[in-house]
Each structure stands twice: as structure tokens, then as C-alpha cells.
């Protein structure tokens, strides 16, 4: 199985990253995508991917860091990529953390989408409390020439359908297993099988029964099993389908 979004580059893994990676593969994991969120974590994601088989990486400047965005510096990160780079992200809009710089966030998000289109890479989107503006930006690019996924989906079924219409995929974290996540469960139960895949967002958001602990990639199985139960289908079959979705989306190939 693939953990399509984790932060092995987070300092919470500095002391035991090799053990964390081993535990994932020993649990039956096949591949992980290590995600960047600013310049230094993007460089670290590349390092982690280049040092390990079946670990891929993304680079991106998160909206929380949009004030430090430098177009040339970011394009250099793409130009010096290794063959393990699979996407631009996480990028997007976050008005929960900061609603005073909306225009800047939209500008930096759009700049990174333009580069993703230029280099033909899919994008991994982060969005919090900014759904209307996010749709507006995405609609400007419609029909989008590259893949896009809404990471850690936490919105309504109605909004999910708006995204699906624009060709955006949905990615679920452990939050779907949380008791109060009623809306997300509804989405996970109802959207088409070819429209989503799974991630951990480790070290954050561990699924039940490990909620509150440090999350790690091997827990991605718990999220997949939970959604399989929600949909009343076999977990192995669901993982086969969502892994195929993720492989196609990120253009990665492995057994
Ligand atoms: Zn993340």
C-alpha cells in the first residue's frame, strides 16, 4: 500500500526515521511520498527520497510560508530535482492560520500551479477555511492540464463534488476515523472509487486507535480498513483500487 503524503522530513522523526521506514515496509507498505512544505523541508524530502528505495518526494511552499516564497529559488528546486520528484505541494490556501494575507496566498498558490503546469507535475493542495477562494482559483485553470489532489479532505460532500467536477482527486487521512468527523465519513462513503486515495500526514493526525499519538506511515492501513468497512467492501480490494489511483496520479510504478 502507498502512503501518499507523509512528513518523514519532520524533526519528530529525526531520531528514528530508519525504524519508522522499516516498520512501514514490514507492515506490507510498498511506497511513501515525503512531502515538502517550505524550502528546507522540500530539500529534506528530496534527501529522504534519494536515500531510500520506494520513497518519492514533493516540493512546495505551504500558504503559512507564502511570505518567504521566491519564484526563482523555487524553480531552481524543480530544475535540480531527482527522478523521485512526483508533485508540487503542499500548496494552497489557509485562512485558519492567517486571513490577513489572502491576496499573497492566492498569488503564491497560483505561481506554483503555473510552475507545475510548466513542468507537467501534479499538485497536492492544502486548504483550510478557504474553500470559496480555492474553487475560484482552480476554476481559472479549468480544464486543469495537470492532476490535482485535495490532501487531508475535511469538507462536505457537496464541496467534494465541486472538486470532482474540476477533476480534483480526494485524499483521506486518519481524521476520517474520528468519531465526530461525520461529514468526511459521508464523503468517504459516497465518492466514486476512482476518485480518492489514502495518506497519513504523519507525524500528524494518527487514525484510531492511535489518535493523539505521533502518527507514522504504517498506520495508513488503519485508515484504509476503516473506509473499506464504511463502504462495505473488502479492505484488500479497496487498497488495490486506491493504490492504482495513486500510482496513476503520481505517475509512479513499482510492484
Ligand atoms: Zn501535510
Amino acid at each position: 500500500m502507498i502512503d501518499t503524503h507523509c512528513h518523514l522530513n519532520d524533526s519528530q522523526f529525526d531520531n528514528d526515521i530508519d525504524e519508522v521506514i522499516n516498520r512501514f515496509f514490514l507492515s506490507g507498505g510498498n511506497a511513501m511520498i515525503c512531502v515538502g512544505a517550505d524550502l528546507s523541508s522540500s530539500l529534506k524530502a528530496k534527501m529522504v527520497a534519494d536515500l531510500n528505495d520506494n520513497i518519492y518526494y514533493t516540493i512546495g511552499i505551504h500558504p503559512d510560508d507564502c511570505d518567504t516564497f521566491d519564484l526563482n529559488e523555487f524553480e531552481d528546486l524543480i530544475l535540480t530535482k531527482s527522478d523521485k520528484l512526483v508533485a508540487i505541494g503542499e500548496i494552497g490556501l489557509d485562512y485558519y492560520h492567517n486571513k490577513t494575507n489572502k491576496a499573497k496566498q492566492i498569488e503564491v498558490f497560483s505561481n506554483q500551479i503555473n510552475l507545475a503546469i510548466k513542468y507537467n507535475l501534479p499538485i497536492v493542495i492544502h486548504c483550510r477555511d478557504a474553500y470559496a477562494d480555492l474553487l475560484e482559483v482552480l476554476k481559472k485553470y479549468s480544464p486543469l492540464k495537470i492532476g490535482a489532489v485535495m490532501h487531508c479532505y475535511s469538507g462536505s460532500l457537496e464541496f467534494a463534488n465541486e472538486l470532482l467536477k474540476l477533476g480534483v482527486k480526494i485524499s483521506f487521512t486518519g481524521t476520517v476515523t474520528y468519531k465526530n468527523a461525520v461529514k468526511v465519513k459521508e464523503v468517504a462513503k459516497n465518492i466514486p472509487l476512482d476518485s480518492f486515495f489514502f495518506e497519513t500526514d504523519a507525524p500528524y493526525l494518527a487514525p484510531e486507535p492511535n489518535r493523539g499519538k505521533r502518527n507514522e506511515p504504517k498506520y495508513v492501513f488503519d485508515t484504509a480498513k476503516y473506509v473499506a468497512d464504511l463502504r462495505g467492501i473488502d479492505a484488500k480490494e479497496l487498497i488495490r483500487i486506491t493504490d492504482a489511483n495513486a500510482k496513476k496520479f503520481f505517475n509512479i510504478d513499482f510492484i
Side-chain angles (χ1 to χ4, degrees), residues 128-184:
R128 202 158 172 203
D129 290 358
Y131 290 130
D133 282 4
L134 185 92
L135 272 185
E136 209 169 293
V137 173
L138 292 175
K139 276 179 183 161
K140 277 190 199 145
Y141 287 95
S142 185
L144 201 57
K145 294 187 204 75
I146 48 168
V149 60
M150 180 64 86
H151 128 80
C152 190
Y153 191 74
S154 59
S156 64
L157 182 58
E158 191 189 359
F159 181 65
N161 284 327
E162 289 290 316
L163 291 173
L164 295 179
K165 265 191 252 162
L166 293 170
V168 179
K169 303 287 182 196
I170 303 286
S171 177
F172 295 109
T173 58
T175 58
V176 71
T177 70
Y178 299 170
K179 204 174 155 200
N180 293 332
V182 182
K183 276 189 311 182
V184 187

Side-chain angles (χ1 to χ4, degrees), residues 5-7 35-37 62 90 124 126 151-152 173 199-205:
H5 184 126
C6 58
H7 300 277
V35 171
H62 189 283
E90 47 190 289
V124 178
H126 167 98
H151 128 80
C152 190
T173 58
E199 60 168 299
T200 57
D201 206 19
Y204 315 105
L205 307 171

Side-chain angles (χ1 to χ4, degrees), residues 83-231:
D83 58 2
K84 298 278 201 74
L85 179 70
V86 293
I88 300 295
E90 47 190 289
I91 59 175
L93 303 175
D94 192 323
Y95 299 165
Y96 177 81
H97 286 133
N98 191 345
K99 43 172 120 7
T100 64
N101 64 350
K102 291 181 178 179
K104 180 74 182 168
Q105 289 193 36
I106 291 170
E107 178 199 318
V108 170
F109 181 38
S110 304
N111 279 331
Q112 291 179 96
I113 298 176
N114 293 336
L115 284 173
I117 292 169
K118 180 173 173 185
Y119 292 97
N120 194 27
L121 287 160
I123 56 171
V124 178
I125 303 169
H126 167 98
C127 181
R128 202 158 172 203
D129 290 358
Y131 290 130
D133 282 4
L134 185 92
L135 272 185
E136 209 169 293
V137 173
L138 292 175
K139 276 179 183 161
K140 277 190 199 145
Y141 287 95
S142 185
L144 201 57
K145 294 187 204 75
I146 48 168
V149 60
M150 180 64 86
H151 128 80
C152 190
Y153 191 74
S154 59
S156 64
L157 182 58
E158 191 189 359
F159 181 65
N161 284 327
E162 289 290 316
L163 291 173
L164 295 179
K165 265 191 252 162
L166 293 170
V168 179
K169 303 287 182 196
I170 303 286
S171 177
F172 295 109
T173 58
T175 58
V176 71
T177 70
Y178 299 170
K179 204 174 155 200
N180 293 332
V182 182
K183 276 189 311 182
V184 187
K185 290 183 208 298
E186 198 192 345
V187 178
K189 211 173 159 175
N190 289 294
I191 59 173
L193 279 169
D194 65 359
S195 65
F196 68 95
F197 37 82
F198 296 106
E199 60 168 299
T200 57
D201 206 19
Y204 315 105
L205 307 171
E208 295 289 1
N210 292 293
R211 183 176 185 180
K213 294 187 198 154
R214 184 188 70 168
N215 195 4
E216 63 173 77
K218 74 167 183 179
Y219 297 146
V220 74
F221 287 97
D222 295 328
T223 303
K225 281 177 192 146
Y226 187 90
V227 171
D229 284 348
L230 268 183
R231 297 185 70 115

Side-chain angles (χ1 to χ4, degrees), residues 193 198 224 228 233-245:
L193 279 169
F198 296 106
I233 61 173
D234 179 62
K236 274 196 183 135
E237 176 62 5
L238 180 63
I239 291 169
R240 189 188 63 72
I241 294 166
T242 55
D243 273 1
N245 297 341

